[in-house]
Every structure is written in C-alpha cells, then in structure tokens.
Amino acid sequence: MASRQIMALVLIFVFIGGAVAEKREIYLALMEGDPIASSSSSRRHALNSEDLRLRAKSMVDYHDQLLESTLEATSYSKLYSFKHVINGFAVHATQSEAEKLKRAVGVRHLEKDRGVKLMTTYTPEFLGLPPGDRGRILQGGSRDAGRGIVIGFVDTGIDPLHPSFANTYPVATSEDGNSSDSGKFTGDCEMGPLFPAGSCNGKIVSARFFAAGARAAAPLKPYVDFMSPYDAVGHGSHVAAAAAGNVDVPVVVNGFVYGRARGMAPAAKIAVYKAVYPTIGTLTDVIAAIDQAVQDGVDLISLAVGPDDPPEGTITFLSVFDVALLFARRAGVFVAQAAGNKGPAPYTMLSFSPWSVGAASSSTDRTYAGSLLLGNGLRVRGVGLSGPTPGSGMLLHRLISAKDALNANGTYPRTPPYTDECQHPEAFDPATVQGSIVLCAFSAGFLSQTSSLDSIISTARALGFMGFALLANLSYGDFIAEPIPFGIPGILIPKVADVQAILKYYEGEKSGGSAKAAIEEGRVASYNTKAPIVSRFSSRGPDFLNIGKAPVDVLKPDVLAPGHQVWAAWSPISASQPILTGYNFALLSGTSMATAHVIGAAALIKQHNPSWSPAMISSAMSTTAKNYDNHGEIISAEGPAVGSLYPSTPFDVGHGQLNPTAAIDPGLVFESDYDDYLSFLCSTPGIDPAALKAVTGELCTRPFSYQSDLNLPSVTISSLVGSRMISRRVKNVGNWQELYTCTVFPPSGTTVTISPPWFTINPQGMQDLHLQVNATEVRNEFSHGEVILRGRLNHIVRIPLSVRTVSSSPWSP
C-alpha cells in the first residue's frame, strides 16, 4: 500500500513538472519577398502612395496568416510586422514554437532578440577601477548648420520642453503640409504622458514610441516607463542635443553657468523614435523604430543604442540588426552607430558592417580640475565639479577620516560601506562630522558597484558635512573618476600617490584635532590638455566575423569623435541615474556621445551636398579625418593601466579624428552601393550562400575575389598570403580638374606599390587605383601604414592600410 502511494506521488510530481509553462522569448523572423523600401526612389517619391499602402497591408496579412497556420492562436503574441527596411515580424513565443516557425515555408531566418543597451560608459558613477571620462561644452556648427536635414534618433526619447529643442528656426509650410526644409518627410506626433499636444514644435518634427518588445520582455514601471516619446532616462535628449541642439543654450547646473551649448547641426530637424526604456531595451523595438524612420523619410539615423554582444549562431554581418542597417543604406539613409564601450581590449567592436559608420570616442582639450588644500599648504589635485568650501580656500575646516568619526556605540555592520565609504549616516557620530571635511575611501562597495557617490552626498547632507573627499584605496590602486556636479563641496582623489600625501599629513595632525583642509573651486575649465586621446572605454578593432573573433577585411571603427565628457541636455527625471535627478544638463561619456557628433557632421555634409549617397558621406568623413593631436603627434590611446597611453592605430581611431569642415569638400570620394555590399558578403570566407539568401533574399552571382575588394576608403587584409592586388575607384566631387600625387607608407612586413603614381581627374570623373601588396615578413599580427593622395588644390585624401601577413609565399602551407 505504501509503495503504491509513493508511486502515485511520483507520478503527480512528474505530471506537474511536465506541465510547467515553457518560457516565452522574443524572436525576429525574416520572410521571403522584398521590403517596401527596396530603393531610395521608392522611399522618397512613392512610399505613401496607395499601391505601397496596399502592399504593406498584404505583407502584414501574410505574416498573420503564417503565424495562425503554424502556431496555436493563444500561444503567441505578434509584436510587430516589419515592412519597410526588412520583410519580417517579431513574435513572443516559446522555443518549441520558434522551431516550428523556423521550418515554416516562407520564413528565411529566425533569430532570438538579444536586447540592446545605451552606449554611454559608466555615466557619472564609478564602475570599479578602470574606466571614466571627461567632457566639454559643445562647440558645434553655425546657426544654419544642418538646415534642410531630418535626423532620426532611435533612443530613449526626448524632453520636448528642454531649451535645446525649442523651435527657433520657423520655416514655411508647403501645401501638402511638409515643412519646406525637410523634403518629403512625413512623420507623426504620438502623444502620451509628459508629451502633450504641441510637443512636436517644428524643431521636433515627429515623435513616436515603440514598446511592444519591452512590454513582452519585462514588467514595466508606469512611473518611469512612459508610453509616450518622453525621455525619462536623459540619454536620448543628450544625444539629440549634442547632434542637433539649438545654439547658445546656457548650461546651468546647481546655479553655476558652465558655458553655452550648441549641437553640431543646430538647424537640423529632429525625428524621435523612442525604443529603449529605463527598465529594458529590446532589439525588436529598435528594429521597429528603424523600419518606421525609413518609412517616414529621415535623411540620417543615429544609433547610440544597440546590442552589447556579437550575435550567436550567425556571422556578424548577417544578424537581423545588421541586415536592417544594410537595407536602410539601400534605401538611401546614412546610419551612424556607436562602436561600443568595451575597450581598451582588441576585438571588442560592436559596429561590424561596412554599410554603417562606427563612431569611436575621444577626449577634448577641455578638463575640470579641483583641488584639496591641506593645512600644511600642500594642494592636491582631484576631480569634482563643485563649488569651494566657505572661504574659497582662505578659511580651513576640520579634516577627519570616516574611520575616526564612527559612532562607536552604533549597531550598524562593521563593513566598508559603513566604516569607510560614507554610504550610511547612522554609522557616524553627528557631532564629529558636522562642519567637517570627511575623508571617505574607495573600497569594496565601489568595486562591487553597490556603493555610489549619490549615497555619499546623501550622508553628507543628512549630517551637515562641510564637504567630502573620496580617496583612492591603497589596497586597490588608482581609480578613474568622472567629474560630476556636486550640490555640496566635494572632490575625488583617484591617485594613490596623492592619497598617501594626504594621509601622511592627516596622521601627523589628527591627534590634536588640528588637521585642516579646504576644497577649492572645481567648476572652471582649462584648455591645455593633450587631445584628442582615444577614450579607454572606446571599443577597439579589428573587426571580426563571429563570436570566435575571426578577423575580417573591414576597418573598424570608422572614425573618432568627441565622446569623453560631453555637456548636453538631460531629463530631470533621470530614471536610471538618481545622482542627476533634477538636472537639465549632464556631463556624459561614451561612444553614444561620439555618435552624436558623427551624425551631426553627416547633417552638415548632406546639407552642402544633398545628392550624395550615404557611402559618399562616409567616405568624405573618413578620408579627411586627422590622425595627429593638438601637439602635432600621432593621436594617443588610453591603455589598460590607469593613466597609460600608447600611439594609436587604425583599430583605435579608424581613419582618425572627425574633421567636419574638410569633409564638406573632400576632393575625392569612394562609392559603394547595395550590389557591392552583396558581392562583399558573397566573398566572406566561409559564407554559406544559403544563409546569405535566407537573410537578404539574394543569390551570390558576382562575388569579389576577396572581401578587401569592396571599394572602401581603407584597405584591410586580415590574412595576406604572398601578395594581393587591391583595386579602388575614386570620384572627383570637386568643381575643378585636379592633379593628385600618391605616396605610400607600407605596413611593416610588406611592400606596397600604387599605380598610377599620379593622375589628373576632371570634375565628376573617375580614376582607378591599383595597389600591389606583397608580404616580405610573416608577422601573424596586424601592422599599419597608409596611402596619401595629395591634390594640387590642397585636397588630402588618406587611405589607412592594415595588413596581417601569414605567409610570404603563396605556396606555403
């Protein structure tokens, strides 16, 4: 009897266990058939015609019918139909249902949503021992820079009340309702919480939000995850303002005026596509936003958000995300993409494809330095955007270490957040710390990211600190600090050597209570720093093919731009950064900020050259970029060790530092079109033609001999065996005939010759160039050089060379 009862219990357990619902996740499907925006002409001139609307409806109906015939009606949720840049859909389903869909007739490709992140670094907090950043007030274009251009920002939304987005550029409206300086752009203004009617004011010409993926992926918080285009995070507002914010907007934080901000292209119009929320970001919502932006007719797309890891199960170029960018390029839309914030290690790039421009981050010459003045006259430099303690250095105040100011009878845990890091006011004796400058320590809580500056400030305010100093910990070494506006006097001392000097003074004076100090003014900028320097966090090349990091013949990043400590608009809700709550401006760092500068520069180039294709804009940026800093030296890059620098390579800077003025008139450009990108994909080593057809719908009819044959403004050879002939074609976009001479600086381990060594080219004329690259030494690592084309009319065209020689003989095994 007992054994039968046990058996019954086992059977019940097995039955219940088997009945547990299978987890649902988001999947992205690509379908047979072309999307609507299969050419720039259809996008610009006929996209909203009745026949295309009917075609779009037919595609949606087909997606629905396929799902209904393949899956049980109540078991899945279709989130979107994609119709314009890709033909496909997003569905919330189980893995077993996904397997059914993968086998369904008409489904080319199925991929799991891997999520997206904002491409800021550690924002204004610490992220352990490495990285951190600095910034500047934006010095953008002239008042009319960017006029006639619409930039689509796929991001966290926008704060429509911010002065950076006031409509200071009214324009006439044509009979069909389109503003006269935005072509055939047709957007919409979706209203909702904190985004009332009138938010699309002429500067903001359209605003939409995409949340189906976010709602399916996680429970959203209605008090921050607003179902409207409003930006509760601040990131989207920051990027939009850095790229296209108004001219001369006062940057005021805690009552102090830091300067005046302006975007790179302040006359450009802003189209908002909110796709990332404080709680979560999904690739599904981002692709839906890109799809809509292309349909609306934006000129440029800013992607300062994106997947934080390479795709699994497919090569980097053939993920649904990168295919969407390819089709956006085919539709005539320029896309700037954050390179990623996973540096300084190599092979950390997150912008993979040659049809999007990957932006790396650099510093500028603007820095903010505060100081702690000790009672012995020693002045220790540090970081902190705060005003001085009373007396502005003329009056010294009691200095005390957190450990010496503890409440001895308190019941709090004796752990570093309480005893060292000033995170909890109950740990201190109020009488001891009131009116004192308290020395807090960077300790275990900051390493684990459970401690924060925000908590130090809260403790200081609660107990009436005169100020605080956060000191590097001798056990952990230097940390890297970001300047952040403090509402009370504060300073960060990130170098152990400086901390040792402070502690030597303090230990010698504390017994008599005579240790004194003052925090001096830290909000005034200086402009004498070596710049640009590649930011430590900025992702590095070489570009790669898959999660195995096999290198490919594409130079990434594409270009370097300011992304280190950038002032721009912020949302006062600041849902993800409590320390910035209430602020209308923030000083942020990341390749997001570099992306803003690149997309703003693209607007300037497009304004002056409205007929240029995205490839021509990209080429102009690349060939005119600078590879020397303000001291006339090769641009430096931050290395892994705190404070370390090394001479940069193209895998750090791409073509070099963005030079918008020169890019407007580059002399020569390199053009590539959709068919060229297909040939590039077909020539990718190990490519499965069936997989390529699955995601693009195209057959490999004319592959290149090598990937390196794509007509890029750079030459990258990831595996040179013996020798290789490389061809490039340039076009003269100037107004005059020009004579160019060619100079070659070959990478180590190679010889490079170019033919012809000089040429004369007429306006709109073409010229073929042939580079013979020979391996002379096996290095099995990349080395770098360049080709420089110098024109008689002062145009200079730089072509970086990056070569990895694996054999000096074509017959070597």
Side-chain angles (χ1 to χ4, degrees), residues 248-270:
D248 293 336
V249 179
V251 177
V252 182
V253 178
N254 292 325
F256 185 83
V257 180
Y258 284 87
R260 293 180 178 271
R262 66 170 65 189
M264 288 289 292
K269 301 300 184 183
I270 293 171

Side-chain angles (χ1 to χ4, degrees), residues 19-30:
V20 172
E22 191 178 356
K23 182 181 178 182
R24 298 172 74 194
E25 297 185 271
I26 300 174
Y27 294 89
L28 299 158
L30 296 179

Side-chain angles (χ1 to χ4, degrees), residues 751-762:
T751 61
V752 180
T753 57
I754 188 168
S755 176
W758 59 269
F759 58 90
T760 299
I761 186 168
N762 293 321

Side-chain angles (χ1 to χ4, degrees), residues 59-101:
M59 292 168 69
V60 174
D61 290 344
Y62 178 56
H63 299 165
D64 292 341
Q65 290 166 11
L66 182 138
L67 286 165
E68 290 166 5
S69 64
T70 308
L71 307 178
E72 295 182 13
T74 59
S75 65
Y76 69 91
S77 300
K78 191 188 86 169
L79 305 179
Y80 296 104
S81 275
F82 308 122
K83 308 175 289 294
H84 302 283
V85 292
I86 57 175
N87 176 9
F89 57 82
V91 62
H92 195 216
T94 65
Q95 183 176 348
S96 58
E97 289 172 325
E99 291 298 324
K100 291 181 181 178
L101 283 173

Side-chain angles (χ1 to χ4, degrees), residues 378-563:
L378 179 64
R379 182 172 279 107
V380 180
R381 299 294 296 271
V383 177
L385 296 179
S386 84
T389 48
S392 298
M394 301 297 293
L395 179 63
L396 300 180
H397 306 272
R398 184 184 182 188
L399 182 68
I400 190 163
S401 169
K403 283 189 173 182
D404 293 332
L406 297 174
N407 180 356
N409 299 319
T411 58
Y412 55 88
R414 265 55 176 181
T415 58
Y418 288 84
T419 60
D420 298 304
E421 298 175 350
C422 304
Q423 300 292 294
H424 302 280
E426 62 270 27
F428 294 100
D429 175 11
T432 303
V433 297
Q434 186 175 18
S436 299
I437 296 174
V438 180
L439 300 176
C440 311
F442 182 102
S443 193
F446 284 102
L447 285 178
S448 64
Q449 301 181 40
T450 56
S451 296
S452 69
L453 276 174
D454 198 30
S455 293
I456 294 180
I457 293 170
S458 295
T459 298
R461 283 181 167 147
L463 298 178
F465 289 11
M466 184 61 66
F468 72 89
L470 179 63
L471 308 184
N473 191 314
L474 281 76
S475 299
Y476 299 129
D478 297 351
F479 69 87
I480 300 177
E482 278 203 38
I484 179 172
F486 299 141
I488 63 171
I491 191 168
L492 316 177
I493 310 293
K495 295 183 178 180
V496 165
D498 292 332
V499 171
Q500 289 173 324
I502 294 170
L503 295 181
K504 180 179 179 181
Y505 163 76
Y506 174 74
E507 294 297 333
E509 300 291 335
K510 72 174 184 177
S511 58
S514 56
K516 304 285 184 181
I519 295 172
E520 297 185 305
E521 177 64 67
R523 298 170 296 186
V524 178
S526 60
Y527 300 88
N528 54 6
T529 304
K530 179 184 177 74
I533 295 173
V534 182
S535 308
R536 176 178 285 99
F537 57 80
S538 189
S539 287
R540 309 301 212 263
D543 195 8
F544 54 91
L545 185 64
N546 49 36
I547 57 174
K549 305 293 179 72
V552 292
D553 293 355
V554 176
L555 176 59
K556 288 288 178 175
D558 291 273
V559 70
L560 187 69

Side-chain angles (χ1 to χ4, degrees), residues 214-263:
R215 284 194 292 249
L220 300 185
K221 305 177 182 70
Y223 53 90
V224 288
D225 295 310
F226 300 120
M227 293 297 102
S228 79
Y230 183 80
D231 180 14
V233 175
H235 185 273
S237 300
H238 197 282
V239 171
N246 288 329
V247 170
D248 293 336
V249 179
V251 177
V252 182
V253 178
N254 292 325
F256 185 83
V257 180
Y258 284 87
R260 293 180 178 271
R262 66 170 65 189

